[in-house]
Amino acid sequence: MNPKFLNQLGLAMRAGKLVTGDEGVFKAIRAGEAKLVIMAEDASANTRKKFQDKCQFYGVTLMEIGSKYELGRSIGKEMRVTIGVLDGGFAQMLQKSQENPAEVEHIDQ
C-alpha cells in the first residue's frame, strides 16, 4: 500500500472532506457531493457490486485499494470499507498519488 496515499487520506480526514460508511457514502453519491469513492479491495462481493453500480450510474470515480484495516487506520478509525471524498482537490491529489506512487524511482546499481 502506498504510504503517500494513506497520508493524504489522513490529511483529507483532518480537513473534514471525507465521509465514511455505506449509508454516508451512498448519500454523498446521490447528492452529487462525492468526487471520488475509495473501496477496500477486501470488500464483500455484494458491497463491491452495489458501489460499482452506484458510482457508474452517477459518474463518480471508484478506486479499489488497500484493505479495510489500512483504510481505517489511515483516517484514525476502525476498519472502513468505503470512503467518500467530498473535495475535488483532494480527490485529484489521491488519484495522482496512485498513478505515481513514488516520486523517486528505484535505481539498480
Side-chain angles (χ1 to χ4, degrees):
M1 183 77 185
N2 181 356
K4 182 178 177 183
F5 179 85
L6 295 175
N7 289 337
Q8 291 173 343
L9 200 55
L11 182 64
M13 180 66 179
R14 289 188 297 280
K17 302 298 182 183
L18 299 183
V19 63
T20 64
D22 287 2
E23 285 306 311
V25 176
F26 273 139
K27 188 183 286 187
I29 292 170
R30 282 189 217 110
E33 297 171 349
K35 309 299 182 218
L36 172 69
V37 174
I38 300 164
M39 182 170 51
E41 292 172 338
D42 55 354
S44 71
N46 186 36
T47 300
R48 179 172 279 121
K49 173 92 170 97
K50 283 194 299 189
F51 277 94
Q52 286 172 341
D53 291 348
K54 191 67 75 175
C55 286
Q56 184 177 3
F57 182 79
Y58 285 94
V60 178
T61 303
L62 174 68
M63 292 176 69
E64 292 186 39
I65 183 168
S67 72
K68 38 189 158 185
Y69 296 102
E70 289 173 317
L71 292 179
R73 196 173 330 120
S74 72
I75 61 171
K77 307 279 185 190
E78 297 265 334
M79 64 180 188
R80 289 292 187 263
V81 177
T82 55
I83 299 173
V85 181
L86 305 177
D87 181 78
F90 276 113
Q92 201 171 27
M93 180 176 68
L94 288 163
Q95 287 175 301
K96 278 185 182 177
S97 74
Q98 274 309 105
E99 292 168 5
N100 304 319
E103 295 194 17
V104 178
E105 295 286 328
H106 177 72
I107 300 171
D108 291 327
Q109 292 185 7

